[in-house]
Amino acid sequence: TLFNTFLGTNHFAGRSYYGGHYGTNNDSHYDVFSAGGQDFIVLALTMAAGRDSNLMLWANRVLHSNATRRAIVVTHSLLNPAPWPQPASWTTEGPAIFSTLTNNPNLFLMLCGHRHGEGRRHEAIGNGRWVDVVLSDYQSYQNGGNGFMRLMEFSPSNQTIRVKTFSPWTRQWATNTDSCFSLAWPCTN
């Protein structure tokens, strides 16, 4: 409830990486950055984004107008938990978000939470392209999640994304195959 009080549009106004927002608050916004010789856009979408057709039109336009940047979408809910290699099932709003945005060739990764646990999908979308969708949500773990967080290391030279899960609270790594894995990442649009 305090997100826009401390991290609203005023907080980011004038910052070089801040791309803009949808509506009157910062619940849905995007940022741009460059790293490792790659240009990126990260598009963050609010809860129930798939039910708001105007928001989805805006999101699609943002990705389209940043077509030269590698695109990552972060939204509240896309997948339900499932142990890999079983593809995680979609949440109610997941298919609407996925189908609306995957027409953008720069989209390669989607991240979500909301459903407690871990899961992922490797979705072919045609023309030899795919999008990886990854769920991580640890709030149902001991002590409200023990501070577990997902770390992703992008390696353009190896064309991989190494995914790890770490708790700075307990200083432990989660080492199971749902918490520690690699994704293939062809780093060209």
Side-chain angles (χ1 to χ4, degrees):
T1 58
L2 297 177
F3 176 76
N4 282 290
T5 301
F6 295 100
L7 298 171
T9 58
N10 291 340
H11 177 79
F12 293 99
R15 301 193 191 233
S16 61
Y17 57 83
Y18 185 66
H21 64 280
Y22 173 79
T24 59
N25 60 39
N26 213 30
D27 289 354
S28 295
H29 65 277
Y30 70 99
D31 300 292
V32 295
F33 68 95
S34 298
Q38 303 279 315
D39 296 324
F40 294 90
I41 178 171
V42 177
L43 175 63
L45 300 175
T46 189
M47 174 76 170
R51 294 182 221 148
D52 184 338
S53 60
N54 289 327
L55 171 57
M56 295 313 300
L57 286 171
W58 173 83
N60 199 42
R61 282 193 303 267
V62 166
L63 292 181
H64 183 72
S65 65
N66 287 276
T68 61
R69 293 182 171 275
R70 305 286 295 154
I72 302 168
V73 170
V74 180
T75 191
H76 194 80
S77 176
L78 288 169
L79 298 178
N80 293 300
W84 188 256
Q86 175 186 333
S89 63
W90 295 104
T91 61
T92 302
E93 67 182 285
I97 297 169
F98 186 84
S99 64
T100 299
L101 300 180
T102 52
N103 65 324
N104 293 282
N106 56 332
L107 178 61
F108 71 101
L109 182 62
M110 301 179 88
L111 307 173
C112 65
H114 185 60
R115 303 291 183 186
H116 304 184
E118 297 171 308
R120 57 184 158 131
R121 294 183 74 93
H122 182 75
E123 285 292 308
I125 53 176
N127 297 326
R129 289 185 50 238
W130 67 83
V131 173
D132 282 296
V133 186
V134 180
L135 161 70
S136 56
D137 185 318
Y138 307 108
Q139 64 185 315
S140 66
Y141 288 24
Q142 185 177 8
N143 298 316
N146 272 340
F148 271 104
M149 61 181 156
R150 187 53 62 86
L151 305 170
M152 303 180 101
E153 180 184 355
F154 293 71
S155 177
S157 61
N158 295 316
Q159 296 196 12
T160 60
I161 302 169
R162 287 187 277 284
V163 180
K164 303 174 191 174
T165 306
F166 179 70
S167 167
W169 179 259
T170 64
R171 296 191 172 125
Q172 293 179 334
W173 293 93
T175 57
N176 64 67
T177 57
D178 291 323
S179 299
C180 182
F181 55 92
S182 291
L183 301 171
W185 177 43
C187 342
T188 57
N189 285 341

